[in-house]
Amino acid sequence: MVQAIPLEHLLWLSGVLLVAGLATGILAGLFGIGGGAIVVPVLYEVFGAVGVDDSERMHLSVGTALAIIVPTALRSYFAHRRRTKIDNSIMRQWAVPLVAGVVAGTLLAAVSPDVVLKIAFVLFAALMSSKLLFGRDHWVLADTLPGRLPMALYGFGIGASAPLIGISGGGIATVVLTLYRVPIHTAIATSAGLGALIAVPGTIGYIISGIPHLDDLPPFSLGYVSLPGLVLVGGIATLAAPLGARLAHGFTRRQLEVGFGLYLLIVGLRFVVALIVE
């Protein structure tokens, strides 16, 4: 059961969530992501501090992160669209397979133990950070995007992984697009538009799957979505996303890649430690 906590501790945790929201919004706009890779580790620590059982903590973190991604990703997308050309053809090709992948990934997450979600996050962080930190210009698959079937498979894979990790899929989509020489700023802007498309069905799935576990979750939880976390982090993140989008155009491609790669490496190591301790 969730434990009662002193008022001063509650205020401190609220402050942490607000700072996380600010960082989430800025980095979401900066890297064209929904912010799940930022907010999942923060929520995981906060929910642990308020006494959420370890068997439910990762699911609650991921579900809340997906709910936060909806407004944050939309805000980031519109901010990028004013400054960068969006490749709408990619969004059209990926729309249906993305949603199908999200449904499959949400069903898998609902029946998976907490450790599976942690392992998925670590694998995601390792692969992404390796590509971003050590990748070179010649690390490409082709000079142009592939045909419909490979693109559909990419879309399904991105959609399926998002509910397991608690991300919008924008980071993975950005890496995929750059492997086909799509310019980094165009890839980030286009990937930002995928966030809400992935997060909406993912959030609904986590709400439904969390309803039987409400007795083990904090007050004001809607299934596996914490409403206080959604309001505090999501509200600030949505306001801060346009600032991150403006900052993105002040950095070079390599600076963006290294910055995002270092962040993913750090949070990935955090979950490795959690897995070892368990």
Side-chain angles (χ1 to χ4, degrees):
M1 293 296 293
V2 178
Q3 64 191 29
I5 56 177
L7 177 60
E8 61 272 16
H9 194 185
L10 183 62
L11 292 174
W12 178 83
L13 291 173
S14 298
V16 171
L17 288 174
L18 291 173
V19 172
L22 180 63
T24 296
I26 291 175
L27 295 179
L30 188 63
F31 297 122
I33 60 177
I38 302 156
V39 77
V40 166
V42 173
L43 291 174
Y44 183 80
E45 301 299 339
V46 170
F47 292 147
V50 299
V52 178
D53 189 85
D54 285 346
S55 64
E56 306 287 357
R57 191 155 43 133
M58 193 65 179
H59 284 82
L60 185 62
S61 300
V62 172
T64 305
L66 286 171
I68 290 168
I69 283 168
V70 177
T72 306
L74 284 173
R75 185 82 167 170
S76 173
Y77 169 70
F78 287 122
H80 274 287
R81 194 174 68 171
R82 290 194 294 269
R83 294 173 174 81
T84 306
K85 182 180 179 181
I86 306 294
D87 195 327
N88 291 314
S89 65
I90 295 173
M91 297 183 67
R92 286 193 297 270
Q93 288 186 68
W94 272 350
V96 174
L98 270 173
V99 174
V102 171
V103 173
T106 303
L107 291 173
L108 178 59
V111 298
S112 299
D114 231 39
V115 66
V116 173
L117 274 64
K118 291 175 185 174
I119 293 173
F121 195 99
V122 169
L123 292 175
F124 157 75
L127 292 172
M128 290 282 291
S129 60
S130 297
K131 169 62 173 69
L132 293 167
L133 292 174
F134 307 113
R136 297 292 182 267
D137 288 341
H138 64 273
W139 285 23
V140 294
L141 297 176
D143 292 332
T144 57
L145 290 169
R148 283 188 173 275
L149 179 58
M151 285 293 283
L153 292 175
Y154 277 133
F156 183 86
I158 293 168
S161 62
L164 291 172
I165 307 167
I167 61 170
S168 69
I172 301 176
T174 296
V175 170
V176 170
L177 294 176
T178 56
L179 287 173
Y180 292 92
R181 295 197 184 279
V182 175
I184 184 68
H185 289 89
T186 299
I188 286 175
T190 303
S191 298
L194 304 174
L197 188 64
I198 289 175
V200 169
T203 300
I204 294 172
Y206 269 87
I207 290 173
I208 294 172
S209 63
I211 289 175
H213 304 270
L214 286 177
D215 289 343
D216 300 318
L217 299 175
F220 307 108
S221 292
L222 184 60
Y224 280 130
V225 173
S226 168
L227 296 181
L230 171 61
V231 172
L232 290 174
V233 180
I236 298 297
T238 302
L239 294 175
L243 174 59
R246 287 195 294 272
L247 289 173
H249 294 271
F251 290 95
T252 65
R253 166 189 168 179
R254 190 59 191 150
Q255 287 171 332
L256 288 173
E257 290 176 341
V258 170
F260 193 27
L262 287 173
Y263 172 77
L264 289 172
L265 184 63
I266 291 169
V267 297
L269 289 174
R270 164 65 186 91
F271 280 104
V272 168
V273 172
L275 288 167
I276 292 174
V277 170
E278 291 178 2

